[in-house]
Amino acid sequence: MACIFCSIAAGEAESYQVYRGHGLMVILDKYPVSRGHLLVIPVEHYEAVQDTPPRLLAKAWVAASALAHVYRSRLGARGVKVLTNSGRIAGQVIFHFHIHVIPYWGDGQLGRGVLTREEALSVLEMLEPHKGVVEEYLKGAGLVG
Ligand SMILES: [Zn+2]
């Protein structure tokens, strides 16, 4: 059974990647709820939150929190939602554990359209100066050397 996130991790499917390291990748959601909607995904395949080993979970949640910090404290988002869905009934669509990081800008621009290349590149450019925050947070939490 093909898994789109495993294909992306293997470089066999395309994505817009914000960060990769320490067993994690951060990519832009293909169907963003808002501008800058990110997914934090372990490179290794685990179906959902309850299947993922604790240390990898810790890394993923700390990375997601770092990105929430970037949006709230550096880029002016008025709110941010950090969440994971486990099970179809709870809204899980791709059965490879991932955490959504969804910034709210207060501009009323919420939707579920397909990410355009233009928007993707502008989001990558917005995040580029702040990528180091993920690394800082992982180190601060003692999760990487
Ligand atoms: Zn997978």
Side-chain angles (χ1 to χ4, degrees), residues 5-80:
F5 290 164
C6 284
S7 297
I8 287 171
E12 292 159 1
E14 285 190 12
S15 71
Y16 292 100
Q17 186 173 287
V18 174
Y19 172 87
R20 181 150 183 176
H22 307 295
L24 299 175
M25 57 183 181
V26 178
I27 65 171
L28 305 193
D29 194 299
K30 199 175 174 184
Y31 302 96
V33 169
S34 70
R35 173 177 150 77
H37 181 170
L38 305 177
L39 302 176
V40 178
I41 312 168
V43 168
E44 209 174 322
H45 182 98
Y46 297 99
E47 185 174 306
V49 62
Q50 72 278 2
D51 308 303
T52 307
R55 190 171 171 83
L56 190 51
L57 278 178
K59 285 183 186 174
W61 286 106
V62 165
S65 303
L67 295 161
H69 173 83
V70 167
Y71 279 138
R72 290 296 330 266
S73 301
R74 293 188 173 201
L75 294 173
R78 290 177 60 190
V80 65

